[in-house]
């Protein structure tokens, strides 16, 4: 495989050719490079023949200096240092576009930042448009009553000791009225859904797809305790007299006073992961407790918590930033996220390629667009009903 650091200029030349912006001098420069080595020609063929690649390149048609784009470029293509050790000023946006082509075509790494609209490859007749997750959930009250919630909802209902109001993708609880015995509600998001809830104490919780949160309608005089399955991001309202505890799928507890953190506890993931953004938390499992500082992560996989002092926080919080973010992720890890977000099944036919992915892509795209971005990996993706069929090319 060609070293991406050594083919920055050729990739930029190929990009210009594909976009019809190449000068005669640049065309000669490219032809000289192609004639120099058979591997150069193979790289060129792969770049120019990858399915849907030309249409995707149109999405890099304007300068793009936003944070996600810069993070990706800096992670995979660090700038060289000058003689005094200072980083050389980065090249203009066209190189970043060329870098995206490099990783997509040469290294199996991909990045797709939607920008200007471009023609898409035709979709096979057997495929249908599968849209990304929306704000939807089901609220189950203490008496078993279920209330569907979606992005268009606007309703208010009273319960013993509290009033709950839904406006679009948010549900807000406010204490009020006569308190009685402790009552619990459960908010569940299906696959293909997400939702935000403000708890009675003012703490905020964002539920990812395929998750549930069980919580009291009104917190009592003691500790505040909720129960989580799946994934959620918490912003806990500080209250030193009432510690906040998250019971995680019956396997762990995360105790806090006031802080922001993410918990990923899907049953089909290899570990439960608690990632601290600010404040402090104590993670307990198998009778052992580990305290986290901001930027640290605790992983639990059938035993005591193991602390990672330098995790990829960007990866852990990607869903809250409305992107898929993969760092050395295998095919099945990628597909698990797509299954939950798009509410689809996955079927593997033949051997699953050992391809690894790094990069990010917006979560607001139709599934077909995401799969188009993955096809350069050497796999075929076909949508049949609500199922993705994956097989080697």
């Amino acid at each position: 495989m060609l070293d991406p650091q050594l083919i920055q200029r050729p990739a930029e030349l190929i990009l210009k050719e594909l976009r019809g912006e190449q000068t005669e001098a640049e065309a000669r420069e490219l032809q000289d490079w192609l004639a120099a080595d058979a591997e150069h020609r193979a790289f060129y063929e792969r770049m120019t023949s990858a399915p849907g690649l030309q249409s995707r390149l149109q999405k890099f048609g304007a300068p793009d200096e936003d944070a996600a784009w810069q993070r990706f470029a800096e992670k995979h293509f660090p700038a060289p240092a000058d003689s005094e050790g200072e980083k050389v000023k980065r090249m203009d946006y066209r190189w970043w576009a060329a870098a995206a082509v490099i990783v997509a075509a040469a290294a199996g790494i991909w990045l797709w930042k939607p920008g200007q609209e471009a023609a898409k490859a035709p979709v096979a007749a057997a495929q249908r448009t599968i849209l990304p997750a929306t704000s939807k959930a089901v609220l189950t009250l203490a008496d078993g009553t279920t209330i569907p919630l979606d992005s268009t909802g606007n309703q208010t209902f009273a319960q013993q000791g509290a009033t709950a109001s839904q406006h679009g993708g948010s549900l807000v609880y406010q204490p009020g009225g006569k308190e009685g015995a402790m009552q619990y509600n459960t908010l569940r998001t299906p696959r293909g859904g997400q939702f935000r809830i403000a708890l009675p104490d003012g703490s905020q919780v964002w539920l990812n797809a395929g998750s549930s949160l069980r919580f009291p309608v009104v917190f009592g005089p003691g500790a505040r305790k909720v129960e989580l399955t799946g994934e959620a991001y918490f912003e806990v309202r500080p209250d030193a007299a009432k510690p906040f505890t998250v019971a995680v799928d019956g396997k762990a507890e995360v105790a806090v006073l006031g802080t922001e953190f993410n918990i990923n506890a899907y049953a089909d993931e290899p570990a439960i992961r608690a990632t601290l953004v600010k404040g402090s938390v104590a993670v307990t499992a198998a009778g052992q407790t580990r305290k986290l500082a901001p930027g640290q992560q605790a992983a639990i996989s059938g035993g005591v918590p193991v602390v990672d002092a330098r995790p990829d926080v960007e990866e852990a919080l990607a869903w809250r930033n409305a992107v898929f973010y993969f760092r050395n992720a295998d095919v099945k890890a990628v597909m698990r996220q797509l299954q939950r977000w798009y509410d689809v099944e996955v079927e593997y036919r033949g051997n699953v390629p050992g391809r690894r992915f790094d990069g990010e892509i917006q979560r607001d795209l139709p599934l077909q667009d995401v799969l188009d971005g993955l096809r350069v990996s050497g796999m075929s993706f076909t949508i049949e009903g609500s199922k993705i069929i994956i097989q080697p090319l």
Side-chain angles (χ1 to χ4, degrees):
M1 180 182 295
L2 292 171
D3 183 349
Q5 297 289 352
L6 301 179
I7 52 175
Q8 296 175 10
R9 177 59 176 170
E12 185 177 2
L13 292 173
I14 298 171
L15 175 69
K16 289 184 175 182
E17 180 185 70
L18 292 172
R19 294 175 56 186
E21 299 176 355
Q22 194 179 63
T23 66
E24 290 185 7
E26 289 169 336
R28 288 193 298 271
E29 182 182 353
L30 177 59
Q31 290 304 315
D32 290 343
W33 183 81
L34 294 175
D37 192 307
E39 192 173 7
H40 295 176
R41 171 63 64 177
F43 172 73
Y44 174 85
E45 295 294 341
R46 184 177 181 183
M47 288 184 68
T48 56
S49 64
L53 182 59
Q54 293 195 36
S55 66
R56 291 201 300 280
L57 289 174
Q58 302 303 319
K59 297 181 180 296
F60 297 95
D64 190 344
E65 299 294 332
D66 70 28
W69 188 228
Q70 289 291 345
R71 287 196 306 268
F72 178 84
E74 291 168 4
K75 187 181 293 290
H76 297 288
F77 301 93
D82 62 18
S83 58
E84 298 180 354
E86 297 293 331
K87 285 191 174 181
V88 177
K89 184 178 180 180
R90 297 187 181 278
M91 300 175 69
D92 66 22
Y93 79 93
R94 291 182 184 278
W95 182 80
W96 298 131
V101 178
I102 293 172
V103 294
I109 303 170
W110 54 273
L111 171 71
W112 186 0
K113 290 195 59 56
Q116 297 177 347
E117 287 299 318
K120 293 184 174 66
V123 179
Q127 299 179 349
R128 66 182 179 90
T129 300
I130 298 179
L131 299 177
T134 59
S135 294
K136 58 185 175 183
V138 174
L139 179 67
T140 302
L141 305 182
D143 62 3
T145 301
T146 59
I147 302 174
L149 309 174
D150 60 32
S151 60
T152 64
N154 189 346
Q155 56 186 319
T156 300
F157 43 93
Q159 299 183 73
Q160 186 176 27
T163 299
S165 301
Q166 184 223 344
H167 300 286
S170 297
L171 182 64
V172 178
Y173 276 75
Q174 294 181 329
K178 183 179 180 180
E179 294 187 18
M182 185 78 76
Q183 295 187 11
Y184 287 84
N185 287 180
T186 300
L187 184 67
R188 290 186 176 87
T189 54
R191 295 200 313 184
Q194 61 178 345
F195 223 79
R196 181 183 74 87
I197 179 172
L199 296 173
D201 67 336
S203 297
Q204 306 278 331
V205 185
W206 287 260
L207 278 182
N208 202 352
S211 304
S212 72
L213 184 75
R214 184 174 182 265
F215 57 94
V217 174
V218 176
F219 287 112
R224 299 168 288 171
K225 186 171 183 177
V226 299
E227 301 171 21
L228 173 72
T229 64
E231 183 169 25
Y233 184 87
F234 292 81
E235 290 185 0
V236 176
R237 177 70 63 85
D239 188 341
K242 296 182 178 181
F244 191 102
T245 302
V246 184
V248 186
D249 200 22
K251 300 175 182 176
E253 284 194 352
V254 177
V256 306
L257 292 177
T259 186
E260 295 184 26
F261 58 98
N262 190 82
I263 298 177
N264 183 314
Y266 287 113
D268 59 354
E269 293 293 341
I272 294 172
R273 299 185 187 277
T275 307
L276 182 62
V277 176
K278 61 175 63 173
S280 64
V281 301
V283 180
T284 301
Q288 299 290 318
T289 299
R290 301 288 185 268
K291 293 184 178 180
L292 299 182
Q296 294 184 338
Q297 181 182 88
I300 304 163
S301 180
V304 301
V306 177
V307 176
D308 184 349
R310 299 185 63 184
D312 193 329
V313 176
E314 185 179 358
E315 180 181 21
L317 304 182
W319 74 276
R320 282 287 296 122
N321 295 320
V323 297
F324 294 109
Y325 177 94
F326 301 113
R327 182 184 182 190
N328 195 32
D330 61 23
V331 176
K332 290 189 176 181
V334 172
M335 288 301 122
R336 284 197 297 270
Q337 290 204 37
L338 298 188
Q339 283 180 277
R340 290 191 288 263
W341 191 243
Y342 292 96
D343 189 16
V344 294
E345 300 298 330
V346 175
E347 179 181 333
Y348 298 94
R349 295 179 181 174
N351 295 328
V352 180
R355 179 70 68 184
R356 294 276 173 169
F357 296 93
D358 291 85
E360 62 185 53
I361 188 169
Q362 262 69 7
R363 294 169 72 96
D364 60 355
L365 297 174
L367 175 61
Q368 184 63 46
D369 287 1
V370 176
L371 296 181
D372 282 345
L374 294 173
R375 282 198 172 90
V376 295
S377 65
M379 292 176 288
S380 168
F381 302 90
T382 304
I383 299 175
E384 295 183 1
S386 59
K387 179 184 293 185
I388 304 173
I389 308 298
I390 302 176
Q391 54 192 340
L393 287 173

